[in-house]
Amino acid sequence: MSEKVWGDKPVYFKQPVRWLRYHAHVNPALFLAVSLGAAAPVLLLATPLRRKYLYSDHEPIPMVYPLPNRPRESGLKGYDD
């Protein structure tokens, strides 16, 4: 029993939207992989535009404790430092 679930395979050049819908239903994993791969260059170009026109990057989280801006005390001994 070979019933067709989605109908005949459409031709890309005649019906491109129907062709995309057909492949989104028949091969969803492949369709999403190709869609995300095609969107990657657009997202790469969007990042510098976001920095220029919308908002800049956040300040980085400090990874070390900040040192005081003064000379060290010379009279320290043992574990007082």
Side-chain angles (χ1 to χ4, degrees), residues 1-78:
M1 183 164 34
S2 63
E3 296 180 22
K4 292 186 178 178
V5 177
W6 188 252
D8 293 333
K9 188 175 181 179
V11 180
Y12 173 72
F13 293 107
K14 291 183 179 178
Q15 300 166 326
V17 175
R18 187 169 174 245
W19 185 81
L20 288 172
R21 288 186 65 211
Y22 171 82
H23 286 290
H25 286 276
V26 174
N27 301 320
L30 182 63
F31 178 78
L32 286 175
V34 171
S35 300
L36 291 175
V42 174
L43 294 175
L44 286 174
L45 292 174
T47 302
L49 295 175
R50 178 206 32 105
R51 286 183 184 143
K52 184 174 181 182
Y53 294 114
L54 296 176
Y55 56 90
S56 61
D57 293 336
H58 63 83
E59 294 182 16
I61 298 172
M63 302 303 264
V64 296
Y65 189 79
L67 295 174
N69 191 9
R70 58 178 170 77
R72 295 182 65 138
E73 297 177 18
S74 61
L76 297 175
K77 295 179 183 166

